[in-house]
Amino acid sequence: MACYLGLDLGGTNVKAGLLDDTARVLAKISTPTHAEHGPDAVIEAMIEAGKTVAAHAGVPLEQIDAVGIGSPGPMDLDAGVIRDMPNLPGWDHVPLRDRIATGLGRPTVLENDANAAAFGEYWAGAGRDPKIHHLVMLTLGTGIGTGIIIDGVLLHGSNSLGAEGGHMILVPDGRRCGCGQRGCLEAYASASNTATRAIEALEAGHDGTTSALASLRRAQAGRLTAKDIFDAAKTGDTLATEIAEQTANYLGIACASLCRLFDPQMIVFAGGMILAGDYLFEMIREAFARHTWKLVKDHVRIVPAELGNDAGFIGAAAVARDADQRGRLHAPLTSRKRLTR
Ligand SMILES: [Zn+2]
């Protein structure tokens, strides 16, 4: 049976998993990235991780059909090159795909990590129902990563910069975003910014005397997490409820806009914040229902991701499998057949 290696490059850990054609995980490992040692050391760690999982699964490298990499950072997908890595030092136009392909001796594809995670959910997670062909995923973490799959194909755009739904501008001249612009979705509704908005509200004196968040923040050396906000909101805390409702409202509006653009069958949310569960999802669905067309409301499912901590390498393997099945392992990712004109 065909098998695929997925490599998930994160700022803290490199995760590797070997999967068969049915998305069964044959072996997996997680190893520290040691980003501070620079790209050469990180690439070596990725190659070693790949060799280790293959050995654990008892699969010789030459029997791996393809390798997929899920990586953060702006990249040139056709060239397989990382242009920059905001959180990892020394990454400047690094030919990551070819370095991994050489190191492991197997055909390799590079994909943006949010896209890969979405493709993993599409293949083996929340969207695995074979009737699903159009899926959008938003990963709520420090930022908001987005992947968009239409007709079974990931959207990349002309500069590998498509599908950045986290940077849709929702509020003109709004909060400063990590991307340099203002008012992006992620500047409001990512897990980190949900917590930051609560801290800002407390510092502005808003409900600071009565909210449980004020004492919790003092007990945590000035810090709050999105989990703190949702836990407090569930107990009825007024400020926490307000912040949680605002986050859900922004996410619901984003879902409505994404439906107008892409008409997906399913919108999947991933990331730690989804542990807030039905409390969060019901609020997102309500906000979505208020802002979307009646025609759309009932046939879009808004659901949590299912792959958890393995989503990165499963998605990377899914991308490798897709390229293999489409015969695109050795062709530029965006060289899809176009009509002559
Ligand atoms: Zn932005």
Side-chain angles (χ1 to χ4, degrees):
M1 185 184 272
C3 74
Y4 300 96
L5 173 65
L7 296 172
D8 174 27
L9 173 57
T12 310
N13 290 305
V14 169
K15 293 179 183 173
L18 193 69
L19 277 74
D20 70 14
D21 201 34
T22 67
R24 192 164 59 99
V25 179
L26 305 174
K28 62 177 180 177
I29 62 160
S30 176
T31 180
T33 306
H34 288 309
E36 69 278 11
H37 297 154
D40 287 347
V42 172
I43 292 169
E44 201 46 50
M46 293 172 75
I47 292 167
E48 277 311 308
K51 289 178 177 171
T52 303
V53 282
H56 285 179
V59 174
L61 282 182
E62 54 271 21
Q63 282 183 22
I64 295 174
D65 291 83
V67 179
I69 307 165
S71 169
M75 60 191 73
D76 180 336
L77 291 170
D78 277 348
V81 169
I82 304 294
R83 291 183 177 132
D84 182 19
M85 201 82 90
N87 301 316
L88 306 189
W91 289 73
D92 181 19
H93 289 83
V94 175
L96 179 62
R97 180 192 65 200
D98 290 351
R99 295 275 303 272
I100 297 291
T102 303
L104 291 170
R106 304 310 301 150
T108 301
V109 287
L110 175 67
E111 185 55 83
N112 166 295
D113 53 3
N115 289 352
F119 209 73
E121 289 291 336
Y122 169 67
W123 179 38
R128 67 185 174 280
D129 179 341
K131 291 197 281 296
I132 300 285
H133 307 289
H134 315 280
L135 177 152
V136 173
M137 184 161 104
L138 294 98
T139 302
L140 310 172
T142 310
I144 296 183
T146 312
I148 296 168
I149 295 152
I150 301 298
D151 277 323
V153 175
L154 274 168
L155 182 139
H156 292 117
S158 57
N159 290 301
S160 313
L161 291 171
E164 288 292 351
H167 301 282
M168 293 190 292
I169 296 176
L170 258 62
V171 182
D173 302 317
R175 291 171 57 81
R176 174 72 74 187
C177 179
C179 75
Q181 284 292 340
R182 284 187 176 276
C184 299
L185 172 65
E186 83 167 35
Y188 291 85
S190 71
S192 299
N193 283 313
T194 294
T196 304
R197 282 178 23 247
I199 290 170
E200 288 171 357
L202 289 171
E203 287 179 349
H206 182 96
D207 209 20
T209 49
T210 54
S211 174
L213 293 178
S215 50
L216 186 61
R217 186 181 173 221
R218 277 194 297 277
Q220 295 179 164
R223 285 189 287 270
L224 286 174
T225 65
K227 182 176 186 305
D228 296 331
I229 313 305
F230 282 95
D231 286 349
K234 286 176 185 175
T235 68
D237 184 87
T238 308
L239 175 62
T241 302
E242 193 179 307
I243 298 288
E245 283 176 352
Q246 286 167 353
T247 288
N249 194 45
Y250 286 121
L251 294 173
I253 290 171
C255 288
S257 293
L258 289 164
C259 284
R260 307 238 166 105
L261 291 171
F262 302 109
D263 194 14
Q265 295 160 288
M266 179 177 272
I267 298 177
V268 182
F269 282 94
M273 209 157 87
I274 69 171
L275 296 176
D278 285 345
Y279 176 79
L280 171 64
F281 278 85
E282 284 309 317
M283 287 196 298
I284 294 173
R285 290 179 191 124
E286 279 170 27
F288 171 69
R290 281 199 305 277
H291 293 98
T292 199
W293 292 327
K294 214 170 156 200
L295 201 63
V296 173
K297 188 165 69 92
D298 295 328
H299 74 239
V300 182
R301 290 163 60 196
I302 298 177
V303 298
E306 295 181 8
L307 297 180
N309 291 332
D310 291 346
F313 71 74
I314 293 175
V319 166
R321 176 178 176 271
D322 186 65
D324 184 31
Q325 292 197 338
R326 291 175 192 275
R328 284 199 354 246
L329 276 175
H330 303 282
L333 204 58
T334 51
S335 68
R336 256 171 254 137
K337 199 165 188 303
R338 295 188 178 98
L339 293 176
T340 306
R341 56 177 179 182

